[in-house]
């Protein structure tokens, strides 16, 4: 099951860049990006993500720390705050609520953010597992060894190791060599932001042919759209 994530930051370009990057992680799904601080809590209530990622400059109502406001409204949602100083409210909250909120430095690499999100999810899973194990142990008081083994097995299953850069991105269903030269040309121009008609003029093709070539590349790469396919191909050095 994918980890559902909401990105909340008033800087649209910043939040959309983070969302696009996290969507490349094979078991992450960004379900919403929100650029209005007043809409973040309602969006989280509506989409019920496992983790909400907040920018440090995003404030709640009346200047209140948005992480604090979000925790009050949706206690079960874990929060990752990107880029904040050691004395900021989010830092103090992290110390007061370990496992519920994680602060990631602004200059952190992608694996650090991914590991922070995974850590929050694992904490949730372990809490749920421990609750179930406690109930199970109470029902099986005469077999303590069985309860202990069950708890140990569940904890081991729920806690993956740290994630590194090489393991982050979704692996597409084909190798780079299976992209045709034309598909690579179209994706290269797409990665530069060119619209279909501009690509057609550049390559002396009809817009319909460009769309067909793009559709073929998207299917080969497993992308969600032409920009996603171009991003996947670019990150793997195929363009």
């Amino acid at each position: 099951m994918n980890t559902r994530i909401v990105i909340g930051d008033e800087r649209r370009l910043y939040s959309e860049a983070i969302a696009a990057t996290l969507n490349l992680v094979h078991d992450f799904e960004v379900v919403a990006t929100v650029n209005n601080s007043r809409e973040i809590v309602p969006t989280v209530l509506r989409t019920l993500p496992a983790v909400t990622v907040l920018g440090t400059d995003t404030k709640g109502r009346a200047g209140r720390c948005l992480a604090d406001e979000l925790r009050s409204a949706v206690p079960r949602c874990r929060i990752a705050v990107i880029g904040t100083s050691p004395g900021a409210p989010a830092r103090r909250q992290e110390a007061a609520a370990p496992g519920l909120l994680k602060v990631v430095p602004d200059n952190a690499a992608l694996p650090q953010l991914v590991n922070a999100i995974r850590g929050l999810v694992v904490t949730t899973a372990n809490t749920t597992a421990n609750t179930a194990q406690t109930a199970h142990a109470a029902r099986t008081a005469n077999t303590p060894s069985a309860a202990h083994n069950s708890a140990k097995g569940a904890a081991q299953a729920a806690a993956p190791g740290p994630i590194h850069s090489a393991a982050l991105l979704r692996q597409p269903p084909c190798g780079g060599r299976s992209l045709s030269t034309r598909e690579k040309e179209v994706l290269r121009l797409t990665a530069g932001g060119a619209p279909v008609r501009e690509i057609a003029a550049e390559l002396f093709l009809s817009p319909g042919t460009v769309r067909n070539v793009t559709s073929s590349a998207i299917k080969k790469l497993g992308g969600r759209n032409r920009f996603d396919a171009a991003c996947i191909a670019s990150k793997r050095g195929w363009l």
Side-chain angles (χ1 to χ4, degrees):
M1 185 192 327
N2 286 345
T3 297
R4 293 166 57 85
I5 300 168
V6 165
I7 310 292
D9 194 294
E10 302 210 348
R11 298 164 292 181
R12 182 173 180 178
L13 181 61
Y14 182 84
S15 62
E16 289 184 352
I18 292 176
T21 303
L22 291 181
N23 267 330
L24 293 175
V25 180
H26 67 88
D27 58 348
F28 282 5
E29 178 186 4
V30 177
V31 296
T33 58
V34 189
N35 305 119
N36 184 335
S37 61
R38 293 180 177 272
E39 295 298 322
I40 292 176
V41 172
T43 298
V44 170
L45 287 169
R46 185 178 69 253
T47 58
L48 298 177
V51 177
T52 299
V53 178
L54 300 176
T56 186
D57 295 329
T58 307
K59 302 295 183 185
R61 292 178 177 82
R64 183 185 182 192
C65 176
L66 184 58
D68 185 41
E69 182 178 331
L70 185 56
R71 283 183 56 206
S72 298
V74 196
R76 295 180 61 185
C77 182
R78 270 45 180 174
I79 304 168
V81 179
I82 299 178
T84 189
S85 60
R91 283 288 189 189
R92 295 194 292 271
Q93 283 188 329
E94 180 184 30
L100 300 177
L101 186 144
K102 186 70 176 177
V103 175
V104 181
D106 226 351
N107 61 350
L110 174 61
Q112 191 169 346
L113 174 58
V114 172
N115 284 331
I117 293 172
R118 292 201 192 284
L120 291 168
V121 174
V122 167
T123 299
T124 304
N126 283 342
T127 300
T128 303
N130 288 339
T131 301
Q133 290 155 18
T134 300
H136 176 70
R139 292 194 301 267
T140 58
N142 293 330
T143 57
S145 60
H148 173 75
N149 290 337
S150 175
K152 182 178 179 181
Q156 290 174 343
I163 304 299
H164 302 286
S165 297
L168 285 177
L169 303 180
R170 278 198 298 266
Q171 296 298 317
C174 75
R177 289 175 295 180
S178 63
L179 290 176
S180 69
T181 300
R182 183 66 78 197
E183 288 167 344
K184 291 179 182 179
E185 290 173 341
V186 169
L187 289 178
R188 188 178 300 114
L189 293 171
T190 299
V196 171
R197 290 191 177 278
E198 184 178 319
I199 295 173
E202 177 75 19
L203 300 179
F204 302 100
L205 300 171
S206 70
T209 299
V210 171
R211 292 188 185 95
N212 290 339
V213 171
T214 302
S215 177
S216 174
I218 289 172
K219 290 179 181 178
K220 288 181 179 180
L221 294 169
R224 294 181 300 278
N225 52 50
R226 68 192 189 100
F227 296 106
D228 190 28
C231 182
I232 292 171
S234 178
K235 284 185 177 293
R236 282 164 177 72
W238 299 341
L239 304 184

